Amino acid sequence: MEPDFKDILLFKTNIQTADDKILIAKVMEKHKIEQWTVDQQDVDCVLRIVSPILKLDEVIQLVSKNGYQCEELT
């Protein structure tokens, strides 16, 4: 089943390296966020999360707390 578009959250980040992605993977796993990707080839290092539960500000706080920039991609 395809995700509902309202459940897809997009963020501009500075998750640029393989080490950055490994650290964020551990954070996502710890918080049971299973559907996520980071496009490190994109200039905005887009973090994409699919979740019917999470809110934008929750993700921004979670990523920022771990030392990365994170803002809603508009």
Side-chain angles (χ1 to χ4, degrees), residues 27-29 31-36 49-50 54 59 62:
V27 171
M28 296 295 168
E29 182 180 322
H31 292 276
K32 300 189 183 344
I33 301 170
E34 296 177 7
Q35 290 187 286
W36 67 277
I49 294 177
V50 180
L54 289 172
V59 175
L62 179 65

Side-chain angles (χ1 to χ4, degrees), residues 15 20-29 36 63 68:
I15 301 168
D20 293 340
K21 194 170 181 179
I22 290 168
L23 191 144
I24 287 298
K26 290 177 184 178
V27 171
M28 296 295 168
E29 182 180 322
W36 67 277
V63 174
Y68 295 97

Side-chain angles (χ1 to χ4, degrees), residues 9-16 20-21 23-25 27-28 31 33 36-38 44-49 54-72:
L9 307 174
L10 298 173
F11 304 91
K12 177 180 177 179
T13 74
N14 64 340
I15 301 168
Q16 297 177 330
D20 293 340
K21 194 170 181 179
L23 191 144
I24 287 298
V27 171
M28 296 295 168
H31 292 276
I33 301 170
W36 67 277
T37 59
V38 176
D44 290 327
C45 298
V46 176
L47 170 62
R48 176 183 180 267
I49 294 177
L54 289 172
K55 294 179 176 57
L56 288 168
D57 58 334
E58 292 173 322
V59 175
I60 291 170
Q61 183 178 23
L62 179 65
V63 174
S64 297
K65 187 172 93 173
N66 284 279
Y68 295 97
Q69 296 172 353
C70 184
E71 61 186 71
E72 180 182 6

